[in-house]
Amino acid sequence: MRLSRRQFLGAGAVTGASLLLPWHVRLQRVLTQATPTLDPTSIPKYVTPLVVPPAMPRTATIKAGTIDYYVIAVVQFAQQILPAGLPRTRVWSYQLRNAQGTRNYPAFTIEARAGRPVRVQWINGLVDAAGNYLPHILPIDPTLHWANPPGGVAGRDARPTFAATPGAYTGPVPIVTHLHGGHNREEHDGYPEAWYLPAAANIPAGYATVGSLYEEFKAKSQAATGAVWAPGTAVFEYDNQQPASTLWFHDHTLGMTRANVYAGPAGFYLLRGGANDLPAGVLPGPAPARGDPAGRRYYELPLAIQDRSFDADGSLFYPGSRAFFDGFQGPYIPGSDVPPLWNPEVFGNAMLVNGKTWPFLQVEPRRYRLRLLNGCNGRFLILRLDPALGFWQIGAEGGFLPAPVQLDQLLLGPAERADVIVDFTGRAGQTVRLRNLGPDEPFGGGTPGVDFDPANPATTGQVLEFRVTLPLSGEDTSTPPDELNLGTVAPAKPGATTNTRQVSLNEAASTFGGFDGPVAALLGTMNGTPSPLGWGDPITEHVRVGAVEEWAMHNFTEDAHPIHIHEIQFQVVNRQPFGGEAFGPESWETGLKDTVVAYPGQITRVKAHYDRAGLFVWHCHIVEHEDNEMMRPYRIG
Ligand SMILES: [Cu+2]
């Protein structure tokens, strides 16, 4: 029996009862399986200094100095992620072309100015010294609806059929970079079907070398900007006509984002200036700037928090079998509808900040601005400081909040960002640890220790150590957070709603007899009852240019999903338990956002101004979900 796409989606056409599956229960069983061979408790903590990614140098300025131009390649290299003395780790990340000194995981930060475009030639540099392609360093399930280069032009961006269970894909790796939070032309968004292989010497005959939308977007881009896309590259221009904020870039290839991002490629893109930024000196700074001398002290720091697992040889561990998740050993193909390699969620057993396990940072007794990113594949973070200094959150994904919010903990779903101020004043000599109380399993909402077990306090419950050991280098002249006036710079909310849309979040159970595990997560429409839809189904979200739409996202699953809508920044309107009363957004959700936590059994409503025509996507940012159908195309105009 062959597993066709139609049969697969048949599994998704489920009733309400089978939508509610105990994924948590299954995962708990898995966590007792010690598959990664490096015991995380054997990794010494707080022995490695935090790395603050420097600002990415420009390749050039172009168009009479009006555009910042970068030529950036995704490359493979080894980095000391684990503490010195333990093996190095093979990773991928971005580097400026021909500048090995800019090679780092996570990438150097792109510093952008409001109103000043940034153009990047993104090179797929996953080739060896001889120019032959490098295979993926992590297992890729070729049975999903994915980029599928071996399918050729006719079979790319599809779910291939197999007569027997295949192994992992070992061919050339497609990439396409997405600027998360950006507001740009469709051809520069990093559409999942606009991927491209490296321009390698040994691409197998018959392989598709680009995704199904690459050529169309290439033509549009060249017409709009004049930039030529050479083989193995794409040239994306970012307008930076949006409020100052914390954006980030990462891979977005169809059906393999989970592995491409876990392998490393991600970086911060900090947009500053314009009407929605504060004058220099108001907030703690500086942050790394282009051309800084070595050893400069920074009071604004980007912090990318990620969970990863390792094998004893230092290599990244990512499960290569569904058996890791719930012990299901098959049969896969033929016989069942269960993807053999894909795992519904993957949690690492070690915590990394900016590419190092459990680093430490020496700080002065003064205020710091931290740009926090949850860069985990599927883990929700609940961050607290110990001792409990608390945080002043001043911004989220879409810019500043209307007013600073004092919080004793930060909840961050995958891809969410928090712009916060932490005050170490008066703490000289103290050690302050950043802890994580989020669960080591899918998050469903609730309180650590009450509704779920917090992360393992010996490992994933710890993140970073601040040591207030540096003498003050000078007076802290930044404005105390409780005196900050953000109201003048907080971005405007969308206007009155012109259209309301009901959409749904769903899980699909296997139809294989005797096995009720999840085989996919799905978005869909909602008309009294949910209609789950896959990536390949016709577009259902057609949005008029200029519309202000409110999307009511009904979550029929057991888990919270961080839902990201490309191209726009939305306002969180409210949440409403099924059959209950609506309540307003959290205090830290009062600005604009691009990713929102949609809780199980609730309707989460978000509103945005869809002002720019194009083909974009919305999806769950648990990237294992995104890769297996929990992503939908949508069109503006
Ligand atoms: Cu999800």
Side-chain angles (χ1 to χ4, degrees):
M1 187 185 91
R2 286 180 150 222
L3 183 70
S4 73
R5 170 162 185 81
R6 184 173 182 82
Q7 284 169 305
F8 185 89
L9 279 184
V14 284
T15 63
S18 61
L19 287 168
L20 297 170
L21 291 165
W23 291 32
H24 299 75
V25 175
R26 295 177 190 295
L27 193 78
Q28 299 248 354
R29 205 159 77 220
V30 170
L31 288 169
T32 61
Q33 275 179 233
T35 313
T37 55
L38 182 64
D39 175 359
T41 63
S42 74
I43 305 171
K45 294 186 186 66
Y46 313 125
V47 295
T48 310
L50 177 83
V51 172
V52 180
M56 185 75 86
R58 288 179 298 211
T59 300
T61 59
I62 57 172
K63 297 251 172 111
T66 58
I67 296 179
D68 293 332
Y69 181 57
Y70 298 84
V71 179
I72 295 174
V74 174
V75 293
Q76 176 172 303
F77 57 98
Q79 177 166 312
Q80 193 73 52
I81 294 174
L82 297 165
L86 289 168
R88 295 199 300 166
T89 301
R90 179 183 295 169
V91 290
W92 295 350
S93 191
Y94 301 93
Q95 73 158 70
L96 204 66
R97 184 178 56 181
N98 301 331
Q100 280 208 17
T102 64
R103 184 177 273 197
N104 194 64
Y105 153 69
F108 283 22
T109 299
I110 295 182
E111 279 284 337
R113 300 293 305 183
R116 181 180 172 86
V118 163
R119 184 184 293 183
V120 184
Q121 182 186 35
W122 295 107
I123 300 172
N124 185 338
L126 295 172
V127 293
D128 64 17
N132 294 320
Y133 71 79
L134 290 166
H136 213 293
I137 59 175
L138 301 169
I140 301 298
D141 191 325
T143 72
L144 305 183
H145 189 156
W146 72 297
N148 192 32
V153 168
R156 61 187 171 180
D157 301 316
R159 182 183 296 276
T161 54
F162 292 92
T165 301
Y169 172 71
T170 56
V173 175
I175 67 158
V176 61
T177 302
H178 167 57
L179 176 59
H180 185 125
H183 177 250
N184 295 300
R185 309 176 72 94
E186 59 176 357
E187 60 267 30
H188 298 152
D189 189 53
Y191 194 82
E193 294 179 346
W195 51 266
Y196 45 100
L197 299 183
N202 62 337
I203 302 296
Y207 272 45
T209 57
V210 297
S212 37
L213 273 159
Y214 178 91
E215 294 292 349
E216 177 187 330
F217 285 168
K218 173 181 172 177
K220 283 183 171 171
S221 176
Q222 289 182 190
T225 68
V228 175
W229 295 16
T233 77
V235 186
F236 294 165
E237 190 163 298
Y238 307 119
D239 300 348
N240 298 324
Q241 301 280 358
Q242 61 184 95
S245 194
T246 309
L247 313 182
W248 64 299
F249 51 95
H250 62 79
D251 191 77
H252 216 299
T253 304
L254 185 67
M256 52 192 298
T257 294
R258 67 195 183 290
N260 283 5
V261 172
Y262 193 95
F268 284 95
Y269 183 109
L270 301 179
L271 179 57
R272 301 178 194 275
N276 299 104
D277 204 358
L278 288 164
V282 174
L283 298 175
R290 288 188 294 269
D292 275 356
R296 185 149 188 210
R297 258 184 216 181
Y298 300 114
Y299 307 115
E300 181 198 319
L301 311 168
L303 299 177
I305 302 172
Q306 299 180 299
D307 58 342
R308 295 287 186 271
S309 296
F310 299 87
D311 280 325
D313 66 357
S315 56
L316 285 171
F317 169 84
Y318 190 89
S321 167
R322 165 63 182 240
F324 178 79
F325 179 71
D326 54 13
F328 182 67
Q329 304 279 354
Y332 299 110
I333 299 168
S336 85
D337 52 4
V338 183
L341 276 68
W342 174 80
N343 278 250
E345 286 99 10
V346 174
F347 289 74
N349 60 21
M351 297 302 276
L352 282 61
V353 186
N354 294 351
K356 301 282 188 189
T357 52
W358 294 293
F360 72 88
L361 178 70
Q362 289 185 288
V363 297
E364 298 177 21
R366 53 166 294 147
R367 287 182 283 274
Y368 281 72
R369 180 184 187 186
L370 307 177
R371 310 252 204 167
L372 295 158
L373 161 69
N374 179 342
C376 301
N377 272 25
R379 176 185 289 274
F380 283 68
L381 299 170
I382 297 176
L383 301 174
R384 282 189 200 167
L385 291 166
D386 177 15
L389 272 59
F391 307 91
W392 282 91
Q393 185 167 349
I394 57 172
E397 295 93 73
F400 287 108
L401 305 181
V405 179
Q406 193 170 20
L407 299 167
D408 55 13
Q409 69 179 31
L410 299 173
L411 168 66
L412 285 175
E416 285 191 301
R417 285 88 76 200
D419 192 350
V420 305
I421 294 171
V422 172
D423 194 348
F424 297 105
T425 303
R427 300 279 172 175
Q430 293 190 19
T431 294
V432 178
R433 283 191 180 165
L434 183 65
R435 296 192 184 277
N436 168 41
L437 286 89
D440 285 327
E441 59 176 22
F443 178 66
T447 304
V450 176
D451 300 295
F452 55 84
D453 288 335
N456 184 341
T459 54
T460 47
Q462 301 189 46
V463 181
L464 171 65
E465 182 174 279
F466 297 99
R467 298 178 188 157
V468 194
T469 48
L470 296 177
L472 261 186
S473 62
E475 192 189 349
D476 183 353
T477 54
S478 67
T479 303
D482 57 337
E483 296 172 19
L484 278 172
N485 179 5
L486 303 178
T488 53
V489 294
K493 301 281 171 55
T497 302
T498 56
N499 187 38
T500 300
R501 198 177 286 280
Q502 312 292 324
V503 296
S504 60
L505 283 53
N506 314 281
E507 283 164 11
S510 172
T511 57
F512 181 56
F515 174 72
D516 66 348
V519 290
L522 298 152
L523 299 173
T525 54
M526 174 79 194
N527 185 8
T529 55
S531 298
L533 298 167
W535 171 251
D537 288 309
I539 292 175
T540 44
E541 286 74 53
H542 292 277
V543 183
R544 243 181 356 89
V545 178
V548 175
E549 291 212 350
E550 181 178 298
W551 290 19
M553 305 186 290
H554 302 244
N555 184 349
F556 293 97
T557 78
E558 286 275 289
D559 301 323
H561 300 264
I563 300 297
H564 171 40
I565 306 177
H566 283 215
E567 189 64 5
I568 51 92
Q569 294 283 343
F570 51 70
Q571 173 190 356
V572 181
V573 177
N574 62 29
R575 293 187 175 89
Q576 183 175 11
F578 294 168
E581 294 291 314
F583 55 92
E586 305 284 0
S587 60
W588 61 90
E589 297 177 320
T590 50
L592 294 183
K593 289 172 64 62
D594 60 35
T595 306
V596 67
V597 180
Y599 290 96
Q602 293 187 7
I603 306 165
T604 301
R605 295 187 176 88
V606 301
K607 181 165 103 165
H609 181 210
Y610 294 80
D611 62 341
R612 192 162 198 177
L615 178 64
F616 300 101
V617 299
W618 66 289
H619 63 89
C620 176
H621 222 289
I622 294 173
V623 281
E624 282 77 17
H625 295 181
E626 166 186 343
D627 275 350
N628 191 7
E629 303 293 351
M630 205 167 193
M631 176 164 71
R632 291 279 293 151
Y634 84 96
R635 189 179 285 283
I636 307 173

PDB file of all heavy atoms in Angstrom, residues 521 560-563 620-622 625-626 630, ligand 1:
ATOM      1  N   ALA A 521       0.091  18.169  12.879  1.00  0.00           N
ATOM      2  CA  ALA A 521      -0.675  19.262  13.457  1.00  0.00           C
ATOM      3  C   ALA A 521      -1.156  20.099  12.279  1.00  0.00           C
ATOM      4  O   ALA A 521      -0.471  20.204  11.270  1.00  0.00           O
ATOM      5  CB  ALA A 521       0.186  20.088  14.394  1.00  0.00           C
ATOM      6  N   ALA A 560      -0.551  24.505  23.922  1.00  0.00           N
ATOM      7  CA  ALA A 560      -0.440  25.886  23.467  1.00  0.00           C
ATOM      8  C   ALA A 560       0.463  25.925  22.235  1.00  0.00           C
ATOM      9  O   ALA A 560       1.461  25.210  22.167  1.00  0.00           O
ATOM     10  CB  ALA A 560       0.149  26.753  24.569  1.00  0.00           C
ATOM     11  N   HIS A 561       0.082  26.730  21.251  1.00  0.00           N
ATOM     12  CA  HIS A 561       0.874  26.874  20.025  1.00  0.00           C
ATOM     13  C   HIS A 561       1.221  28.348  19.832  1.00  0.00           C
ATOM     14  O   HIS A 561       0.330  29.202  19.886  1.00  0.00           O
ATOM     15  CB  HIS A 561       0.095  26.378  18.801  1.00  0.00           C
ATOM     16  CG  HIS A 561      -0.289  24.941  18.873  1.00  0.00           C
ATOM     17  ND1 HIS A 561       0.441  23.925  18.299  1.00  0.00           N
ATOM     18  CD2 HIS A 561      -1.346  24.334  19.475  1.00  0.00           C
ATOM     19  CE1 HIS A 561      -0.133  22.766  18.533  1.00  0.00           C
ATOM     20  NE2 HIS A 561      -1.226  22.985  19.243  1.00  0.00           N
ATOM     21  N   PRO A 562       2.491  28.667  19.593  1.00  0.00           N
ATOM     22  CA  PRO A 562       2.873  30.052  19.287  1.00  0.00           C
ATOM     23  C   PRO A 562       2.601  30.334  17.805  1.00  0.00           C
ATOM     24  O   PRO A 562       3.310  29.852  16.931  1.00  0.00           O
ATOM     25  CB  PRO A 562       4.377  30.073  19.594  1.00  0.00           C
ATOM     26  CG  PRO A 562       4.827  28.658  19.363  1.00  0.00           C
ATOM     27  CD  PRO A 562       3.657  27.758  19.631  1.00  0.00           C
ATOM     28  N   ILE A 563       1.561  31.113  17.540  1.00  0.00           N
ATOM     29  CA  ILE A 563       1.144  31.326  16.146  1.00  0.00           C
ATOM     30  C   ILE A 563       1.761  32.623  15.618  1.00  0.00           C
ATOM     31  O   ILE A 563       1.626  33.689  16.223  1.00  0.00           O
ATOM     32  CB  ILE A 563      -0.398  31.387  16.040  1.00  0.00           C
ATOM     33  CG1 ILE A 563      -1.011  30.070  16.547  1.00  0.00           C
ATOM     34  CG2 ILE A 563      -0.808  31.676  14.595  1.00  0.00           C
ATOM     35  CD1 ILE A 563      -0.647  28.829  15.753  1.00  0.00           C
ATOM     36  N   CYS A 620       2.352  27.745  13.035  1.00  0.00           N
ATOM     37  CA  CYS A 620       2.808  27.509  14.404  1.00  0.00           C
ATOM     38  C   CYS A 620       4.322  27.594  14.408  1.00  0.00           C
ATOM     39  O   CYS A 620       4.981  27.089  13.507  1.00  0.00           O
ATOM     40  CB  CYS A 620       2.354  26.134  14.881  1.00  0.00           C
ATOM     41  SG  CYS A 620       2.979  25.741  16.532  1.00  0.00           S
ATOM     42  N   HIS A 621       4.900  28.229  15.444  1.00  0.00           N
ATOM     43  CA  HIS A 621       6.361  28.329  15.514  1.00  0.00           C
ATOM     44  C   HIS A 621       6.992  27.240  16.380  1.00  0.00           C
ATOM     45  O   HIS A 621       8.172  27.304  16.701  1.00  0.00           O
ATOM     46  CB  HIS A 621       6.816  29.712  15.961  1.00  0.00           C
ATOM     47  CG  HIS A 621       7.997  30.207  15.182  1.00  0.00           C
ATOM     48  ND1 HIS A 621       9.260  29.667  15.333  1.00  0.00           N
ATOM     49  CD2 HIS A 621       8.115  31.140  14.216  1.00  0.00           C
ATOM     50  CE1 HIS A 621      10.099  30.272  14.515  1.00  0.00           C
ATOM     51  NE2 HIS A 621       9.431  31.168  13.823  1.00  0.00           N
ATOM     52  N   ILE A 622       6.205  26.235  16.795  1.00  0.00           N
ATOM     53  CA  ILE A 622       6.835  24.978  17.191  1.00  0.00           C
ATOM     54  C   ILE A 622       7.230  24.375  15.851  1.00  0.00           C
ATOM     55  O   ILE A 622       6.380  23.951  15.063  1.00  0.00           O
ATOM     56  CB  ILE A 622       5.868  24.070  17.972  1.00  0.00           C
ATOM     57  CG1 ILE A 622       5.519  24.728  19.310  1.00  0.00           C
ATOM     58  CG2 ILE A 622       6.478  22.675  18.178  1.00  0.00           C
ATOM     59  CD1 ILE A 622       4.443  24.001  20.101  1.00  0.00           C
ATOM     60  N   HIS A 625       5.914  21.292  14.324  1.00  0.00           N
ATOM     61  CA  HIS A 625       4.524  21.396  13.838  1.00  0.00           C
ATOM     62  C   HIS A 625       4.485  22.090  12.474  1.00  0.00           C
ATOM     63  O   HIS A 625       3.829  21.633  11.539  1.00  0.00           O
ATOM     64  CB  HIS A 625       3.669  22.193  14.826  1.00  0.00           C
ATOM     65  CG  HIS A 625       3.500  21.531  16.157  1.00  0.00           C
ATOM     66  ND1 HIS A 625       2.761  22.075  17.167  1.00  0.00           N
ATOM     67  CD2 HIS A 625       3.991  20.366  16.641  1.00  0.00           C
ATOM     68  CE1 HIS A 625       2.796  21.279  18.229  1.00  0.00           C
ATOM     69  NE2 HIS A 625       3.533  20.237  17.936  1.00  0.00           N
ATOM     70  N   GLU A 626       5.192  23.214  12.410  1.00  0.00           N
ATOM     71  CA  GLU A 626       5.241  23.986  11.159  1.00  0.00           C
ATOM     72  C   GLU A 626       5.649  23.098   9.987  1.00  0.00           C
ATOM     73  O   GLU A 626       5.106  23.205   8.886  1.00  0.00           O
ATOM     74  CB  GLU A 626       6.246  25.131  11.332  1.00  0.00           C
ATOM     75  CG  GLU A 626       6.658  25.818  10.051  1.00  0.00           C
ATOM     76  CD  GLU A 626       7.776  26.843  10.286  1.00  0.00           C
ATOM     77  OE1 GLU A 626       7.996  27.245  11.444  1.00  0.00           O
ATOM     78  OE2 GLU A 626       8.413  27.242   9.308  1.00  0.00           O
ATOM     79  N   MET A 630       1.386  22.312   9.980  1.00  0.00           N
ATOM     80  CA  MET A 630       0.778  23.389  10.767  1.00  0.00           C
ATOM     81  C   MET A 630       1.244  24.744  10.243  1.00  0.00           C
ATOM     82  O   MET A 630       1.719  25.616  10.975  1.00  0.00           O
ATOM     83  CB  MET A 630       1.088  23.255  12.254  1.00  0.00           C
ATOM     84  CG  MET A 630       0.037  23.938  13.121  1.00  0.00           C
ATOM     85  SD  MET A 630       0.151  23.496  14.838  1.00  0.00           S
ATOM     86  CE  MET A 630      -1.430  24.159  15.427  1.00  0.00           C
TER      87      MET A 630
HETATM   88 CU    CU B   1       2.068  24.055  17.164  1.00  0.00          CU
END
